Amino acid sequence: MRLVPKQIETLWTLFTAPVVWAAHFLVCYIGAAIYCAKPELVELSFSAVRAGIAAATVIALSLIALSAWLAWQQWGFGTDDPPHDDPTRRDRTLFQGFATLLLSGLSFIAVIFTALPALFLTECIR
């Protein structure tokens, strides 16, 4: 039984990983900014904010890994080497899968770098 369809024929797969990274970025930085600006609004400790950022990071990395796996499958598990520059439907699909895989890798690294400050900061600095 296949878990996903053999070919994913939509351009949305290309944007999935960067959108997940952007959402993660907004959740982390807006959440930390609100807590640090008005800690009395949210009756939590900074450790709870850090835990929330860690949870958001795990979710984002999981979604990006899923996107990368789908892209790898769309690319044909790397059986054909780039460039995929022929004007055929197959090459367009392979190119989209390869480009999505590269964007997923970049987004994975970006999510890690977005979450790093929460690892090192232990309180809000005013």
Side-chain angles (χ1 to χ4, degrees):
M1 181 172 97
R2 285 186 77 79
L3 296 175
V4 294
K6 182 174 167 85
Q7 296 296 327
I8 301 166
E9 299 290 336
T10 178
L11 197 57
W12 286 107
T13 58
L14 187 66
F15 303 115
T16 302
V19 167
V20 169
W21 165 75
H24 175 265
F25 183 88
L26 289 173
V27 165
C28 291
Y29 278 85
I30 290 174
I34 289 172
Y35 177 81
C36 288
K38 305 256 183 195
E40 64 275 356
L41 284 178
V42 186
E43 296 180 6
L44 298 172
S45 67
F46 192 69
S47 296
V49 173
R50 291 174 68 194
I53 290 172
T57 300
V58 168
I59 291 168
L61 291 176
S62 299
L63 290 173
I64 291 171
L66 176 64
S67 173
W69 183 74
L70 292 172
W72 188 50
Q73 183 180 21
Q74 184 179 5
W75 184 36
F77 298 107
T79 56
D80 294 322
D81 290 333
H84 306 295
D85 55 358
D86 290 335
T88 62
R89 181 182 183 117
R90 182 176 184 280
D91 268 10
R92 282 191 303 271
T93 301
L94 291 174
F95 175 78
Q96 181 182 344
F98 185 60
T100 303
L101 184 62
L102 293 176
L103 276 172
S104 295
L106 181 64
S107 298
F108 195 92
I109 293 168
V111 164
I112 291 171
F113 274 96
T114 300
L116 275 178
L119 184 64
F120 296 110
L121 297 176
T122 57
E123 63 182 56
C124 295
I125 301 170
R126 298 173 201 241

